[in-house]
Amino acid sequence: MVELLPLSACDPGAIENLLDAAFGTDRKSRTAYLLRDGTACMPALSFGLLSSTHLIGSIQCWPVLIEASDGDSAAMVLVGPVAVAPELQGLGHGQALMQAMVDAAMLEGNPPMVMIGDAEYYGRFGFSAAETAGWNLPGPFEQNRLLLRNEGDYILPLTGMIGPDIGD
């Protein structure tokens, strides 16, 4: 039996071990980590999947901003990492985590969400690269993998830099 829990109820060490297994121990050098710098994951949108007492999957969401050159900015949610234990990938656990996050986001006002990922896979959850061509990140990335989900039809800058939303 698999149980969905708030990520805050999961052991932080188990989360780190899962992330290392899913993405490698060099994962913190990736651009997505620059987007999370100085922020804490958003508890209402972050979940873990447990099978008996073992963490087999997790999803984390983070506050980010897109800042346009004219000074305008808009708050968004950075989705990821979405991690599933390598030996259990392809069994629908990632889809369950994404659906739980999307359902929770709808209760939180359906904020605009951005992620770095595969449009073919994440398109089923409303993510697309159609509106991100003018956006930039603070490190290397493939433009076609910068995806947006804006089901709430928020007005977002056409161009700008995405970075962590560390608040005031």
Side-chain angles (χ1 to χ4, degrees):
M1 182 174 119
V2 176
E3 181 180 11
L4 181 75
L5 296 173
L7 194 64
S8 59
C10 299
D11 173 43
I15 297 167
E16 290 299 312
N17 290 338
L18 172 67
L19 294 173
D20 283 347
F23 300 111
T25 56
D26 65 340
R27 63 187 162 83
K28 292 184 179 178
S29 66
R30 296 180 181 178
T31 298
Y33 278 82
L34 296 173
L35 297 173
R36 301 176 196 135
D37 191 35
T39 66
C41 77
M42 303 170 77
L45 302 178
S46 300
F47 300 96
L49 273 182
L50 265 65
S51 178
S52 87
T53 60
H54 295 89
L55 184 68
I56 63 166
S58 69
I59 186 168
Q60 297 177 34
C61 292
W62 309 81
V64 294
L65 283 175
I66 181 161
E67 296 191 47
S69 58
D70 65 4
D72 281 347
S73 66
M76 297 190 296
V77 173
L78 173 67
V79 177
V82 181
V84 175
E87 67 276 12
L88 299 173
Q89 291 177 1
L91 301 177
H93 299 303
Q95 290 180 45
L97 287 163
M98 283 294 297
Q99 193 60 57
M101 182 277 302
V102 166
D103 291 346
M106 290 170 51
L107 299 174
E108 298 288 319
N110 224 358
M113 301 179 157
V114 64
M115 71 183 313
I116 302 169
D118 179 27
E120 187 175 324
Y121 179 84
Y122 292 106
R124 70 186 85 184
F125 303 103
F127 285 87
S128 163
E131 297 178 53
T132 63
W135 294 0
N136 212 336
L137 299 177
F141 73 103
E142 297 173 45
Q143 193 72 51
N144 65 321
R145 293 179 54 81
L146 182 58
L147 309 177
L148 171 68
R149 179 182 192 274
N150 188 11
E151 300 293 315
D153 290 326
Y154 289 85
I155 297 173
L156 301 171
L158 296 176
T159 61
M161 173 67 80
I162 300 172
D165 184 355
I166 54 175
D168 293 339

